[in-house]
Amino acid sequence: MSTAKWEEKKDSEFGKLLENYFSALPSVGDTITGTVLSVSKGEVRLDINGLVTGVIRGAEMFNEATEYAGLKIGDTIEATVLEAENENGEMELSFRVAGHRKAWDAMLGLSKSGEIVDVKIYDANKGGLMAQLGALRGFIPVSQLSPEHYPRVPGGDKQKIFDRLKEYVGSTFRTKVLDVNEKESKIIFSEKAVWEDEQKSIIDSYKVNDIVEGEVSALTSFGAFVRFGELEGLVHISELAWQRIDHPRDVVKVGDKVSAKVIQIDGSKIFLSMKQLMEDPWASVASKYTVGTLVKGKVLKVNPFGLFVELDKDIHGLAHVSELSDTPIDINAFAQPGDTLDFEIVTIEPKEHRLGLRIPGVKGNTPVAEEKKEA
């Protein structure tokens, strides 16, 4: 072979080697695996597949110092390429970017596996709690808190809810990762999901129509919570008593021992009724009251449309404003809560739990004779 041909062949093989070398080199943004060559206070050097030396230094190392504190020569670790070549001819790498990628991948894995994780509460707002897991931060909406931490505030006052939530800052909650959206940097944790799993076997031991004995644990404007065993159920205001009430405190108070009937189970939510364990007084209302008779009643509440009136502790009626006078009146001047007045019964509707009243002598809008006939 001539010298010229030999040189040409050598150049061609060298060119292929160079081409293979550069094609094997990682690109900026790639996550690579390297072997630790040296570890010092300010930097870590890696051998990347025998092709090039990479270096991690400064913030790219220190921001992940805890995770990589125990590195030693020979360890295999991951890093992300920041620059193909720095001023020293080395590849510039980052633990921080690789750690970020790793953290999001791990979070996505947790959302799929349903594994229970401990998160640290670092802040709060009126909608829930900010929580941290490793290097990433997420949110626990109020709706995803367990009954133990759910802020039951009378009237739903947002400031009071916020004050209650702030008390949890610094606490550690057991949660599941409910949703992960890396693009929007959003992670939703759920404490309630953990509670539901742990309570499922207990909840499954109850069924609709079961009778439970418990204690009133909290009152809200919409009902009373009753704790029985390890569970808690809601007695809606409409299920507390047969008569109309303005607030649950009119019937029960926190600490009262009560009996209730399970009327619905919806996942972790248990709905109870106290009134269904009581005899419906409206079933026998016809034996106590008759359309056309005169009765005395105590005004419970004054509304623009009429008076709510107590005939006895179980039976309440309504005197519509049109049944109070044949001429326009100022209803607030006409009667006050606590007043006892004479009324005529004009309608009785047991199934609807309604009883209509009229001031005697007022013509009104309801013909008594027709109601008598229907009754």
Side-chain angles (χ1 to χ4, degrees):
M1 182 182 294
S2 66
T3 302
K5 287 185 176 181
W6 171 254
E7 291 295 333
E8 183 181 342
K9 180 180 180 182
K10 186 171 68 171
D11 289 344
S12 175
E13 290 177 349
F14 181 69
K16 288 181 180 178
L17 286 172
L18 283 177
E19 184 180 345
N20 291 337
Y21 171 78
F22 285 111
S23 65
L25 285 176
S27 303
V28 172
D30 287 350
T31 298
I32 59 91
T33 299
T35 304
V36 177
L37 294 174
S38 66
V39 180
S40 66
K41 186 176 181 180
E43 61 187 26
V44 175
R45 278 186 162 75
L46 303 181
D47 169 62
I48 305 170
N49 298 327
L51 299 172
V52 67
T53 298
V55 61
I56 304 99
R57 54 187 176 176
E60 305 307 324
M61 182 176 79
F62 295 128
N63 284 7
E64 305 293 328
T66 302
E67 185 175 351
Y68 295 97
L71 280 180
K72 60 185 182 298
I73 294 172
D75 283 350
T76 300
I77 55 172
E78 289 184 342
T80 300
V81 180
L82 295 182
E83 294 180 38
E85 186 176 1
N86 64 15
E87 70 278 6
N88 299 319
E90 298 171 317
M91 187 168 282
E92 198 78 24
L93 305 173
S94 171
F95 281 155
R96 179 169 56 177
V97 179
H100 184 78
R101 170 76 269 137
K102 192 175 180 181
W104 277 103
D105 288 345
M107 198 66 71
L108 186 60
L110 288 171
S111 72
K112 293 177 179 178
S113 70
E115 181 182 340
I116 296 174
V117 291
D118 290 337
V119 298
K120 185 71 173 288
I121 308 303
Y122 69 89
D123 204 354
N125 61 30
K126 292 179 181 178
L129 301 169
M130 275 71 93
Q132 182 154 1
L133 177 60
L136 300 180
R137 292 180 167 184
F139 187 62
I140 308 177
V142 169
S143 63
Q144 293 302 319
L145 292 173
S146 69
E148 179 186 357
H149 296 129
Y150 189 90
R152 297 194 186 103
V153 175
D157 186 290
K158 291 185 177 180
Q159 185 57 48
K160 290 182 179 178
I161 290 174
F162 181 42
D163 292 341
R164 185 74 58 82
L165 291 172
K166 285 192 297 185
E167 296 175 5
Y168 301 135
V169 174
S171 302
T172 298
F173 282 13
R174 297 173 68 237
T175 68
K176 287 188 176 186
V177 180
L178 200 63
D179 186 40
V180 177
N181 189 323
E182 183 180 358
K183 187 176 180 180
E184 297 181 9
S185 296
K186 185 175 75 172
I187 302 168
I188 301 297
F189 296 108
S190 173
E191 185 193 29
K192 186 174 78 170
V194 176
W195 179 85
E196 286 179 343
D197 280 354
E198 293 177 342
Q199 298 300 306
K200 189 177 186 306
S201 61
I202 302 174
I203 292 174
D204 287 347
S205 67
Y206 289 90
K207 58 185 183 297
V208 172
N209 293 325
D210 281 352
I211 309 300
V212 299
E213 305 290 333
E215 180 178 305
V216 177
S217 54
L219 298 179
T220 69
S221 59
F222 55 82
F225 287 91
V226 174
R227 185 176 296 282
F228 55 100
E230 299 178 49
L231 301 177
E232 193 172 49
L234 172 67
V235 184
H236 189 268
I237 188 170
S238 63
E239 293 293 333
L240 281 168
W242 288 106
Q243 70 269 31
R244 179 188 178 280
I245 58 175
D246 291 324
H247 195 280
R249 61 172 168 264
D250 296 340
V251 178
V252 292
K253 63 181 183 297
V254 173
D256 281 355
K257 299 290 190 296
V258 298
S259 297
K261 179 180 179 180
V262 178
I263 57 174
Q264 184 182 353
I265 299 175
D266 182 9
S268 64
K269 297 177 182 177
I270 300 177
F271 298 93
L272 306 170
S273 173
M274 287 171 53
K275 78 176 187 182
Q276 290 190 28
L277 297 183
M278 309 171 191
E279 183 180 353
D280 182 0
W282 289 88
S284 58
V285 67
S287 65
K288 299 169 68 176
Y289 301 104
T290 307
V291 170
T293 58
L294 299 180
V295 293
K296 287 190 178 294
K298 178 182 176 182
V299 177
L300 295 176
K301 192 172 183 179
V302 179
N303 277 333
F305 57 83
L307 307 177
F308 286 100
V309 180
E310 178 186 272
L311 300 188
D312 59 49
K313 67 181 183 65
D314 295 318
I315 304 299
H316 297 172
L318 171 67
H320 191 269
V321 63
S322 64
E323 306 287 359
L324 299 179
S325 173
D326 290 324
T327 58
I329 60 168
D330 177 355
I331 194 167
N332 290 299
F334 183 86
Q336 296 294 316
D339 289 352
T340 298
L341 303 174
D342 289 326
F343 294 95
E344 178 185 4
I345 297 175
V346 292
T347 61
I348 298 177
E349 302 172 79
K351 291 183 179 179
E352 288 74 24
H353 292 182
R354 288 201 296 255
L355 185 148
L357 299 168
R358 170 191 298 168
I359 294 295
V362 174
K363 294 180 181 179
N365 292 322
T366 307
V368 176
E370 290 184 14
E371 291 295 332
K372 274 186 176 181
K373 186 176 180 180
E374 291 177 6

